[in-house]
Amino acid sequence: LAKTTQPISMDSYEGQEVNITCSHNNIATNDYITWYQQFPSQGPRFIIQGYKTKVTNEVASLFIPADRKSSTLSLPRVSLSDTAVYYCLVGEGANKFYFGSGTKLNVKP
Amino acid sequence: EPEVTQTPSHQVTQMGQEVILRCVPISNHLYFYWYRQILGQKVEFLVSFYNNEISEKSEIFDDQFSVERPDGSNFTLKIRSTKLEDSAMYFCASSETSGVQETQYFGPGTRLLVL
């Protein structure tokens, strides 16, 4: 079971860069690492996905070290609207997915 | 942008009653999923479904649960005899293909309250 561990919560201020780390020591060779964002009473929304090294898209970057036992989601210049819960997801098998406990990010003005 | 839709948005039921939660996945997607989220807790995987068969299921998905694709557009989750602990938000998701690298698109959820 590819269990993930994340900090329960983080605080930040508008305009700052936020880095959220997820630990997944038992990640399997075929597993990808995916991050989702969830606002209250809404379904999770895809942010970014990677397998190794670094991935960047228009909203975030994902850093994965060579051993793949952890990953770091980087949000550049957060705003108040980035206040949400961020989940690290590691797939197990072809169609079985486990969410981490989630990190509640609170962005302050 | 195509969306996953779910109905109803809220459902209140009595313990022991059967409930059916409905989902319409994105039209060209072939893989479907159900998750639940108990209030204040993490999102938990229930089941994945492809080609009219269950592909994977978690230990939560016991005999009280079943899934079905009754027609070309709907995907349902049935809970046969609801328990108090089934109260949760239930999310449907779909993806175009299989594999852990495939992005899943989530619906807005159905909030189920069992009294």
Side-chain angles (χ1 to χ4, degrees), chain A residues 4-103:
Chain A
T4 59
T5 304
Q6 302 174 233
I8 294 173
S9 64
M10 294 181 70
D11 289 334
S12 181
Y13 290 93
E14 281 193 290
Q16 287 188 330
E17 178 185 81
V18 171
N19 296 307
I20 306 174
T21 298
C22 177
S23 172
H24 28 80
N25 290 318
N26 296 324
I27 189 169
T29 304
N30 295 334
D31 287 343
Y32 278 69
I33 302 151
T34 311
W35 285 79
Y36 284 82
Q37 176 192 56
Q38 187 181 29
F39 297 111
S41 299
Q42 294 187 26
R45 188 179 73 166
F46 173 84
I47 301 175
I48 197 167
Q49 184 182 73
Y51 182 80
K52 62 179 179 181
T53 63
K54 178 184 174 182
V55 179
T56 298
N57 63 20
E58 62 276 9
V59 297
S61 295
L62 179 60
F63 299 92
I64 305 169
D67 65 7
R68 304 198 331 119
K69 293 183 183 298
S70 66
S71 58
T72 299
L73 173 72
S74 180
L75 305 172
R77 297 182 300 281
V78 295
S79 62
L80 295 176
S81 62
D82 292 318
T83 294
V85 179
Y86 291 83
Y87 289 96
C88 169
L89 183 71
V90 177
E92 177 178 317
N95 289 298
K96 194 171 187 179
F97 305 95
Y98 286 92
F99 279 75
S101 53
T103 298

Side-chain angles (χ1 to χ4, degrees), chain A residues 36-38 42-46 89 97 99, chain B residues 2-6 23 26 33-36 43-44 90-94 103-109:
Chain A
Y36 284 82
Q37 176 192 56
Q38 187 181 29
Q42 294 187 26
R45 188 179 73 166
F46 173 84
L89 183 71
F97 305 95
F99 279 75
Chain B
E3 292 181 334
V4 175
T5 60
Q6 292 185 242
C23 168
I26 294 173
Y33 314 85
W34 282 103
Y35 293 81
R36 79 172 185 189
V43 177
E44 299 175 293
Y90 287 82
F91 294 106
C92 173
S94 69
T103 300
Q104 296 181 48
Y105 294 85
F106 285 77

